[in-house]
Amino acid sequence: MKKVGRYVVESTLGAGGMGQVFRARLIGAEGFARPVALKRLNPGYSDDGHFAKLLIAEARIAALLSHPNIISVLDFDRDEDGSLFLVMELVDGCDLSRLLRRLADKGARLPHGLCAFVAAEVLAGLSYAASLA
């Protein structure tokens, strides 16, 4: 397992063109530990001023948000190599795209009421974030 600052990386949760998100664990004193999501820029991107600025802006904006439908940012730092990383709360569970694929594989669909609920919750988070602008 790789260590990033006070965090131990356990597995990859996802990856995109600019970075990767890992399941990690914050390690503290006296056996304290907390699961977190750790986002890092892909190798070389932390040295690219444009991508570093994007992650810095994401961290600053996300740190202002406090809503049950928006992931909380817990930390933003550089590792021992100087690469930027962002630490967020970890929400365990199945993401919506995976759920929809599994349902489609079985020839099923998400019930309309549940679709409406998910859409309303997403919109509540977006509305909150937009109200801060």
Side-chain angles (χ1 to χ4, degrees):
M1 287 190 240
K2 182 173 176 158
K3 200 153 192 264
V4 177
R6 302 179 309 153
Y7 305 91
V8 175
V9 175
E10 298 176 341
S11 62
T12 302
L13 293 173
M18 191 172 112
Q20 296 179 298
V21 178
F22 301 95
R23 179 185 192 94
R25 186 164 300 281
L26 166 63
I27 304 299
E30 304 300 326
F32 174 85
R34 177 182 179 162
V36 295
L38 188 143
K39 181 176 185 176
R40 297 186 71 162
L41 292 174
N42 285 332
Y45 282 79
S46 277
D47 299 332
D48 183 315
H50 173 71
F51 291 106
K53 284 180 185 175
L54 289 175
L55 188 63
I56 292 166
E58 178 182 343
R60 286 183 177 153
I61 291 167
L64 300 173
L65 304 175
S66 178
H67 189 277
N69 299 347
I70 299 174
I71 295 292
S72 295
V73 171
L74 306 173
D75 195 7
F76 182 67
D77 207 347
R78 290 186 183 270
D79 66 14
E80 50 281 347
D81 298 328
S83 296
L84 294 167
F85 65 92
L86 177 66
V87 179
M88 302 162 283
E89 71 177 300
L90 178 67
V91 177
D92 246 337
C94 181
D95 63 59
L96 184 58
S97 66
R98 182 179 297 153
L99 174 62
L100 293 175
R101 280 194 308 273
R102 286 183 180 172
L103 288 170
D105 290 346
K106 295 179 179 187
R109 292 185 173 177
L110 209 56
H112 291 107
L114 189 51
C115 287
F117 173 77
V118 169
E121 292 297 306
V122 168
L123 291 172
L126 287 172
S127 175
Y128 165 79
S131 73
L132 297 179

